[in-house]
Amino acid sequence: MSLQRADTLGGRAAVVGIGATEFSKDSGRSELKLAVEAVHAALDDAGLAPGDVDGLVTFTMDTSPEITVAQAAGIGELSFFSRVHYGGGAACATVQQAAMAVATGVAEVVVCYRAFNERSGHRFGSGLQARQPSAEGVAMGWTMPPGLLTPASWVALHAARYLHTYGLSPDVFGHVAVADRRHAAANPAAYFYQRPITLADHAASRWIVEPLRLLDCCQETDGGQAVVVTSVERARDLRHAPAVIAAAAQGAGRAQEAMTSFYRDDLTGLPELGVVARQLWRGSGLGPADVDTAVLYDHFTPFVLMQLEEFGFCARGEAAAFAADGGLELGGRLPVNTHGGQLGEAYLHGMNGIAEAVRQLRGNSVNQVPDARTVLVTAGTGVPTSGLVLTADG
Amino acid sequence: MNLEAYQGLPSTVGGVGLDLVNAPMIRHWCEAMGDANPAYAAAPAAAIAPPAMLQAWTMGPSGRRAHFDALMRDLDAAGYASVVATDCEQQYARPLRIGERVLFDSDIESVSERKRTALGTGYFITTRTDVRAYDEAAGEKPDDATPVGSHRFRILKFTPAERRERPQAVDAGSLRPRPVVNRDNAGYWDGVAAGELRFQRCDDCATARFPWLPGCNACGSDRWHPEPASGDGEVYSKVVVHHPLPPAFGAKPYTVALVELAEGVRIVANVVGAEPEAVGIGMPVRLGFQRCDDDLLLPVFHPAGPDRLPPLRVPVTRTLIVAGAIASRDYQEVHHDAELARAKGAPDIFMNILTTNGLVGRYVTDWTGPDARVESIAIRLGVPAYPGDELQFSGEVSERGEGGRLVLAIRGTGRLGVHVSGTVKVRVKGASA
């Protein structure tokens, strides 16, 4: 997808298989083992075998290399392997990479995966201690000595400005948390299955980094998730109805940083997602009104509100009103994160959200939106990121 | 030991200052404190003494001190051999001028119950001294003396607690994350070491930028020069970190702000000198620097505006401690002899209260200018100031009264915590300050 012209990727490839391990707080096995299990599960779901795979894509943050996953999963020669950077911002971009490879004939069947022991192993929320003096380390290093050490702290600095600009209280973030947890409560795969919360629970939860409370923060998860991408033509011969990749895009804004874009514009939006949104609407020929349900990346609630504004579901500063009164819940203005999101289901760096979008198009989500034919999916926020518009075939 | 009996007894009767108020002692004091107030350096006919020197003119053996000395002997004999000053409250009726002789009398105002403190167990003893003076150089006689001020002084006479009970210095295992420095941003950290906050400015398109990068995002040019920030800014966004709380950041939630500098660039830094809830978006702030440990100096911001004093950094050197003690004529070993200080249970020599008092006076008149009249300084000491520390003074106007009278709340913080907090009353002329 280009910034200037519509690309030719839309409609060429589809997600045909989804598979995950259980989502837990202590998987009891290696990250590589989780990756291999997720890849196998996704291939089984697609009705494909390891021998069909000729491409693998993952995150630069993943600890399991493509070649090692292939080696342990019974996958042979690879003609395409790729990794995408910037944490959770990579999620939808792995599918874009796969679709580009399939559309150009570089590969035929590509599996995208992400697996980690983010709860029992290295926890992102434990706080940075040191960074190497690379360009990336220096960029992160400006905020470390004064004590912004966690993702929550970086997001909170944006969130505080957003609340100030629009005269809102931190309680408005509760609408997002309540929606996610309501959806998770109906999802047996979710960590917070059968444990919904109220706005009062949200408002009473303890501060993590003011203005973010505990219930504004996603959980930490051990697990793996994979999705299988192939051409739309081949998809039509497989087990499930294809989830067509109508548009896929990456985006970085001007003066973009990874989580610390504090030095540009007014801090009330997510310009990198604006770049993604422009491309997705143009590439798919669709707009906000066409979206039946959305999976909006929710490591922290404030950025869900900003995404609603960046994608044009509502005007600037109006997302809190849009989300109020069940606006993001099943039956609301725009059902969001029907799997429970990363607050409710699991924190799989956004990959579990892609799987939920596919389930909505197949019609077998635990919180099914009636006749869902167009789903928007976004990836990590606050970082260079990516997005997908997935549609039903035909 | 009947300590109550000492209450109300005179502690000094008929005290006479050993030296006339004189330029050399004033100069030594100003040199020790780093006080450049021209009011103290004027020609002898016009010069006044720094008000915080009030007690210095009374130091040394003079007058009859039988009761006070007996009280000290009683406490020494009972094992309360260590002494530390905790409070100093001075009121100034008028300035002292060169050539004046001071006269003074003091009472033992109170002796406390036995108290347990962080330093150890002991007794607080409060004395009150009234000071008068006459212009001996001009031929006046003692009967001509008029009131100059009064001076209430509180000491703790104590038995040191076991070392483990005392607050420890920074634990080497719990330091803040280090700055990440490479060739692209070393100039920034060099600036911090030099007490400047430097941003970059493009040589070609003149765009100011932060963070430091080897090229300009506005035009792509790689030609730039560093510029020191004026230090004025406002809070653009702000968070309070509650969890996790690494030990290096103290036991309490702390404030981190995104500050937009007057030059238009933004920087992430702590806001200090105000409780987290008192820091709001849009609040004017002023640059300062905070020493976090031996190797880490960080730019920080203090609340600013017409009711805020700009921050002042004072490195606590051995020279300052010793020179301040001598300038205030305080020869207690703990202020100049490290070996004897350790023998008395302190980790090193530490600043005497009169130096702290002098620094508070200097901090205030640096802000008001030389025409202001300091009417009182009342301070309480917190954690000691040892060599290698750095005191950061901050202050605000807590009350504005008639006739240019201001009440200022002053605080001096070192790396162990609050070293001094106090109230200064001052009268400023016209629109100054």
Side-chain angles (χ1 to χ4, degrees), chain B residues 10-17 54-55 57-58 89-93 96 101-109 127-133 145-153:
Chain B
S11 88
T12 308
V13 178
V16 179
L54 184 65
Q55 191 181 8
W57 307 114
T58 70
E89 300 169 21
Q90 297 184 334
Q91 310 234 355
Y92 314 111
L96 272 168
R101 172 85 64 190
V102 303
L103 307 174
F104 57 98
D105 298 279
S106 3
D107 293 332
I108 299 169
E109 199 172 68
T127 55
R128 182 199 154 94
T129 304
D130 286 297
V131 183
R132 294 167 294 133
T146 57
V148 174
S150 67
H151 167 68
R152 181 178 282 116
F153 201 70

Side-chain angles (χ1 to χ4, degrees), chain A residues 234-308:
Chain A
R234 184 161 181 184
R236 289 177 182 139
D237 298 331
L238 293 175
R239 184 176 291 166
H240 297 286
V244 177
I245 300 164
Q250 282 189 298
R254 179 174 280 274
Q256 178 76 48
E257 303 216 353
M259 297 306 291
T260 56
S261 298
F262 304 133
Y263 315 103
R264 62 177 188 186
D265 58 63
D266 65 359
L267 256 62
T268 56
L270 298 163
E272 56 282 352
L273 264 168
V275 176
V276 170
R278 290 202 309 272
Q279 297 175 84
L280 292 182
W281 297 146
R282 189 180 55 200
S284 65
L286 301 170
D290 300 311
V291 174
D292 298 309
T293 178
V295 179
L296 302 182
Y297 196 93
D298 59 338
H299 53 359
F300 300 97
T301 55
F303 282 170
V304 174
L305 296 185
M306 291 189 206
Q307 288 180 78
L308 292 167

